Amino acid sequence: MPLLWAGLAILNSARDWRDDLVEGRRRLRTLIVAAAAGCTLLQALAIWLTGSTPLDVAGSTASAALLAALAMAVSWQLLGTAGGGDWLTASEAPAAPAAAANAAQAANGSARVVHVHARQAAALDTLLLQQRVYREPSLTIAALAARMGMPEYKLRRLINQGLGHRNFNSFLNGYRIAEARRVLQDPAQAQTPVLAVAMDVGFQSVGPFNRAFKTAVGLTPTEFRRQALETAGAAAGSGDAAGDSTANSGSA
């Protein structure tokens, strides 16, 4: 059972490891998983070699010392992290297309994309805004880096340090939700099911789409569409009324 739980913990941590764009957090996660797995393996080995029960080994002085050393190592890493560990609690940067980031950079004259060649930023901009690769549900950061012809770590640095995003999936979802908003507020597509919109922009199911959309917008997709269409209808009605009033005044 301890080995099974250790394996599940490793799988759970590794599942999102590649999507994490913060290098310090990735290193810490690797340290914790490796140390915890090593501790469990040592305990299992001790049980097998000594014939002791798992409870005896887990409650031994050696096991307590090992866990204390692990806790101290993790605490040391946290305390020694530059920026006071802000990367553990800071929220995701607002989603913004690469073009907007590049325009802001040109406007204020500062090098917002740090240590990244302009050609790489332009390639990312092309893939996301023109080719819309974010529509691919299974797109990974490794696949995106391969399309750009650059190492994965450089792409991580570009998205994290240059554009301010901490998670790759959240970064992609920003583009997906921006397109979904355009579709949902379009009266010509009012009959398009929300599920179809979610699938078209790159989500694999409607559940994650609803959660991501509400987190970003504050409304569910259905609520957002209803409000947007009501606002558009009210604006159209006001415009028609103003036109009729002008026409009547002209006739008089």
Side-chain angles (χ1 to χ4, degrees), residues 12-85:
N12 184 65
S13 181
R15 181 180 57 187
D16 300 325
W17 182 79
R18 300 196 72 172
D19 291 333
D20 194 346
L21 301 174
V22 183
E23 294 182 7
R25 193 163 57 192
R26 283 162 52 86
R27 288 194 298 269
L28 180 62
R29 182 183 297 192
T30 301
L31 170 65
I32 294 175
V33 170
C39 180
T40 302
L41 289 174
L42 287 175
Q43 289 180 342
L45 183 62
I47 293 172
W48 180 62
L49 291 176
T50 63
S52 303
T53 65
L55 185 60
D56 290 337
V57 172
S60 66
T61 302
S63 179
L66 187 60
L67 290 175
L70 173 60
M72 290 179 64
V74 173
S75 299
W76 180 263
Q77 288 292 321
L78 286 172
L79 292 174
T81 300

Side-chain angles (χ1 to χ4, degrees), residues 238-252:
S238 299
D240 292 341
D244 292 341
S245 177
T246 302
N248 291 334
S249 298
S251 299

